[in-house]
């Protein structure tokens, strides 16, 4: 019971069994003994999957307060900021990261694209999306970010090709399917819009449910 690794192994097995709350409890015991990066990542994921987003954010914030220069924690912080719609904070976090690690990081550019798109800065979002896609054209997040940024700048046709590719790469990603649904709706392709919105709604964790349900009803 005094070995962090023992709690991690048990927590990992509980995660496989989708017993996320119990896994989080084991990871918390490990964190009490040794709060390093692997423990933090497991704890935040387990809490998030258990629906305890506040506790997940608090665990991440605690780790970051102790390790303010940790790149992995900063990336995860930006991910949570994007997920909560706090785009200005995400931009600050990501721009700080970019100043440290440079511009040749596809994941970072994709996140920057999403953050700037959410903040209404479509041209900057397009530039970062294009950079992400140029670095990793086979990456779903890069294709999605670039496609969504193109849609925001009015290029629905260009967005469609990229978002279709992203959906092929990650067919169960609700965010990608929701972006694709909105582009299909813009192009007046109602059956495809409805099908992709329904695919997004099939994910219990999908947040923008009211808008997707409205699109399904409108496309029926």
């Amino acid at each position: 019971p005094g070995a962090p690794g023992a709690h991690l192994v048990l927590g990992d097995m509980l995660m496989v069994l989708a017993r996320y709350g119990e896994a989080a409890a084991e990871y918390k015991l490990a964190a009490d003994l040794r709060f390093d990066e692997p423990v933090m990542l497991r704890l935040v994921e387990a809490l998030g999957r258990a629906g305890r987003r506040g506790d997940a954010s608090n665990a991440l914030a605690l780790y970051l307060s102790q390790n303010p220069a940790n790149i992995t924690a900063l990336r995860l912080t930006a991910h949570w900021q994007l997920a909560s719609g706090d785009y200005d904070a995400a931009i600050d976090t990501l721009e700080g990261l970019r100043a440290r690690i440079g511009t040749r990081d596809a994941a970072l550019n994709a996140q920057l694209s999403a953050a700037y798109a959410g903040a209404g800065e479509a041209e900057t979002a397009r530039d970062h999306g294009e950079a992400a896609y140029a670095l990793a054209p086979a990456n779903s997040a890069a294709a999605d970010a670039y496609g969504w940024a193109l849609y925001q700048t009015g290029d629905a046709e260009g967005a469609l090709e990229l978002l279709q590719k992203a959906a092929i790469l990650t067919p169960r990603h609700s965010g990608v399917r929701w972006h694709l649904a909105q582009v299909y709706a813009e192009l007046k392709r109602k059956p495809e819009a409805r099908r992709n919105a329904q695919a997004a709604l099939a994910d219990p964790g999908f947040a923008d449910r009211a808008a997707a349900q409205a699109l399904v009803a409108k496309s029926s």
Side-chain angles (χ1 to χ4, degrees):
H7 294 292
L8 290 184
V9 170
L10 179 52
D12 290 349
M13 293 303 99
L14 290 166
M15 287 291 286
V16 171
L17 296 171
R19 292 160 61 178
Y20 304 123
E22 294 173 72
E26 291 299 325
Y27 295 146
K28 176 65 169 59
L29 290 171
D32 289 341
L33 296 165
R34 185 184 66 215
F35 197 28
D36 59 11
E37 183 179 306
V39 173
M40 178 273 292
L41 290 172
R42 285 172 166 87
L43 178 58
V44 170
E45 181 182 4
L47 289 168
R49 287 178 177 267
R52 296 164 57 186
R53 295 178 65 88
D55 289 337
S57 296
N58 289 339
L60 177 57
L62 175 61
Y63 180 82
L64 197 56
S65 70
Q66 297 172 356
N67 304 272
N70 184 276
I71 290 175
T72 301
L74 289 168
R75 285 183 186 273
L76 189 56
T77 296
H79 170 78
W80 282 82
Q81 289 167 335
L82 286 170
S84 65
D86 194 354
Y87 300 115
D88 289 337
I91 289 170
D92 288 342
T93 300
L94 293 165
E95 288 291 4
L97 270 173
R98 187 162 72 111
R100 289 178 57 192
I101 67 177
T103 61
R104 303 286 299 173
D105 186 295
L108 179 59
N109 275 295
Q111 285 187 302
L112 276 165
S113 179
Y116 278 111
E121 299 184 42
E123 298 294 335
T124 305
R126 184 193 61 194
D127 292 342
H128 285 294
E130 184 177 10
Y133 189 71
L135 289 165
N139 181 277
S140 174
D144 176 57
Y146 190 20
W148 187 242
L150 287 178
Y151 172 68
Q152 296 291 320
T153 59
D155 184 4
E157 292 288 352
L160 180 61
E161 181 179 352
L162 288 160
L163 292 171
Q164 286 173 330
K165 180 176 182 178
I168 290 170
L169 292 167
T170 52
R172 296 185 180 180
H173 193 296
S174 57
V176 171
R177 299 300 288 270
W178 176 227
H179 285 166
L180 189 54
Q182 292 173 84
V183 173
Y184 274 128
E186 178 71 20
L187 295 172
K188 312 300 182 186
R189 295 172 60 172
K190 290 185 177 181
E192 293 99 328
R194 182 174 63 253
R195 185 166 60 250
N196 279 279
Q198 289 170 333
L201 287 165
D203 176 6
F206 176 62
D208 207 356
R209 306 191 73 82
Q213 288 165 345
L215 191 152
V216 169
K218 187 177 179 180
S219 302
S220 298

